[in-house]
Amino acid sequence: MFKFNFDVEDDTEQSTDVNHTTQNHGPASVQAVAPDVFTELFLTDALNSLPSKISYSPITIPLASGTELSLPRRDLFDARFQLISQNVDDPDALEQPSINARSALHFLDAPSDLVPLVYEGGLKTWECSIDLASYLDGISSQFDVSGKRVLEIGCGTSIPSLYILHRIFSSPPSQNQTHIHLQDYNASVLELVTIPNIILTWYLSEAAETYRKSEEQADSPLELDISESLRDAFHQSLMTYGINLRFFSGSWDTFDLQKSCGSYNLVLTSETIYRMESLPSLTAIMRGACKAEGPKGVNDYLCLVAAKVLYFGVGGGVTEFVRCVQGSDEGGTVKTVWEKTQGVERRVMSIRWN
């Protein structure tokens, strides 16, 4: 098990140790036999599984203009409470909780612990996802995401996609259809943090202003009541703003571009190059997402990777990633478009595929 400790504060921990260390502890009896396969998680099902109330905390995104944007993240202790409550309500789960439930509970307590093919860190907000959102803000005048097809790979708390949705929800409704697809290895990450964060981002945006005025919410400003009227208003906003959301879980090896409808204009990923063994499958899905035949109008793309230069103790990093991308005839070229050279070195890279 790898434990990644960085300086982005979560509900459950704050650490400044920048080394990756190998850990021998973990949830007993959680053993990875085979990677999870490609599965689509449907938004309606995820919304219906949410509790009646969720709590959240803000995270600050520095913008290119020098200002800051506050985005909401669901509190991990709140997600843990949901998972425990679901098990209590299910007598069978109490007697024999599933591997997914047991592992999710463990990693909600230790979101920095990574176990390959069991949990890949999606519950924690990692530094480079914030870098990627900031970079997207810097190029927003040159790359209008409205009407585009977007894929975020290894999305986790989905900060870059939340930034994109915030921009769309803060603009006048458009007739353009914008497709935003989010992938994470763990379905539980999509259910417990990704989708709740999207709802929270909508709720705090201009798109939900009418709903906020019409509904009396909880006394606490950092809690949101999940009611049937909220679900209806959220779905209506998605239609009004032309936003199509889809969610996929499972390993990159099994990702099915045909089922996700092919090519994308914008492919995003952050903090996903830490493990050398996974680089071939990651680069394959990125290349396929950019180059696959897709709907009419998908003829150009922007492929962005945000990462630390070196992941200590794990073996991955920028050098290995570049070597993997450029090491074959079907590879591509890598250009650094943003970097931080002080402290823990980080980069945002743009990929052009052959």
Side-chain angles (χ1 to χ4, degrees):
M1 179 190 298
F2 306 122
K3 185 177 180 65
F4 292 7
N5 293 319
F6 297 112
D7 58 4
V8 177
E9 184 174 359
D10 278 292
D11 314 294
T12 54
E13 62 176 309
Q14 181 179 19
S15 174
T16 56
D17 179 7
V18 299
N19 290 320
H20 298 53
T21 56
T22 301
Q23 302 293 312
N24 294 318
H25 61 277
S29 73
V30 176
Q31 299 294 330
V33 177
D36 290 350
V37 298
F38 175 89
T39 305
E40 181 167 3
L41 175 67
F42 295 99
L43 179 61
T44 300
D45 295 338
L47 292 177
N48 289 337
S49 70
L50 286 174
S52 60
K53 188 188 303 289
I54 60 175
S55 70
Y56 61 94
S57 301
I59 185 170
T60 300
I61 311 298
L63 301 180
S65 62
T67 59
E68 295 179 336
L69 171 66
S70 181
L71 290 175
R73 289 181 304 170
R74 188 185 188 185
D75 293 324
L76 293 189
F77 72 81
D78 187 64
R80 189 179 196 280
F81 181 75
Q82 174 187 339
L83 205 55
I84 292 173
S85 299
Q86 289 174 342
N87 284 338
V88 168
D89 293 338
D90 184 351
D92 293 333
L94 281 176
E95 293 181 9
Q96 186 62 40
S98 68
I99 288 177
N100 285 341
R102 290 200 304 271
S103 60
L105 280 170
H106 170 80
F107 294 115
L108 281 165
D109 289 333
S112 297
D113 289 357
L114 278 73
V115 180
L117 305 184
V118 176
Y119 166 70
E120 297 288 352
L123 294 168
K124 183 178 177 66
T125 298
W126 302 95
E127 291 171 304
C128 294
S129 66
I130 298 174
D131 295 339
L132 190 49
S134 298
Y135 180 76
L136 288 171
D137 183 70
I139 63 170
S140 59
S141 61
Q142 309 158 37
F143 189 90
D144 183 8
V145 76
S146 178
K148 301 294 195 297
R149 290 175 53 82
V150 181
L151 173 65
E152 184 177 357
I153 304 168
C155 63
T157 58
S158 63
I159 298 298
S161 293
L162 296 185
Y163 166 78
I164 290 171
L165 286 165
H166 169 80
R167 283 190 61 87
I168 295 174
F169 285 136
S170 300
S171 303
S174 171
Q175 297 299 314
N176 297 325
Q177 293 295 305
T178 304
H179 297 258
I180 300 178
H181 297 177
L182 299 102
Q183 181 275 340
D184 195 272
Y185 182 81
N186 299 102
S188 57
V189 167
L190 298 173
E191 295 169 341
L192 294 172
V193 293
T194 307
I195 292 172
N197 286 353
I198 289 173
I199 297 169
L200 289 164
T201 297
W202 162 78
Y203 176 74
L204 296 176
S205 73
E206 295 176 22
E209 183 176 4
T210 300
Y211 175 79
R212 290 197 304 274
K213 291 179 178 179
S214 67
E215 296 286 327
E216 289 189 9
Q217 283 289 315
D219 293 334
S220 170
L222 298 180
E223 289 186 341
L224 177 63
D225 292 332
I226 305 297
S227 62
E228 191 63 36
S229 60
L230 180 138
R231 295 187 187 93
D232 291 342
F234 176 63
H235 280 296
Q236 183 59 51
S237 281
L238 293 180
M239 290 188 289
T240 299
Y241 285 81
I243 298 172
N244 296 273
L245 298 172
R246 292 179 71 182
F247 304 88
F248 307 106
S249 67
S251 69
W252 296 328
D253 285 332
T254 65
F255 192 90
D256 192 330
L257 282 167
Q258 289 186 336
K259 290 184 179 178
S260 71
C261 300
S263 191
Y264 294 87
N265 301 107
L266 179 61
V267 176
L268 305 170
T269 190
S270 57
E271 304 275 20
T272 53
I273 68 170
Y274 57 86
R275 196 155 58 90
M276 292 178 62
E277 296 85 352
S278 65
L279 291 180
S281 57
L282 173 62
T283 55
I285 187 176
M286 287 193 297
R287 184 184 187 280
C290 294
K291 303 290 284 185
E293 292 185 7
K296 185 178 180 181
V298 180
N299 50 25
D300 199 10
Y301 64 86
L302 183 61
C303 182
L304 298 173
V305 179
K308 294 178 177 66
V309 171
L310 180 62
Y311 290 89
F312 296 99
V314 184
V318 168
T319 299
E320 291 73 18
F321 173 72
V322 172
R323 186 180 297 123
C324 185
V325 170
Q326 299 180 169
S328 69
D329 293 338
E330 293 186 348
T333 57
V334 181
K335 178 183 178 182
T336 298
V337 294
W338 178 93
E339 63 182 333
K340 174 182 176 291
T341 57
Q342 295 182 340
V344 180
E345 294 184 65
R346 309 195 301 267
R347 294 181 187 177
V348 176
M349 298 168 284
S350 177
I351 320 300
R352 296 301 299 181
W353 302 100
N354 294 336

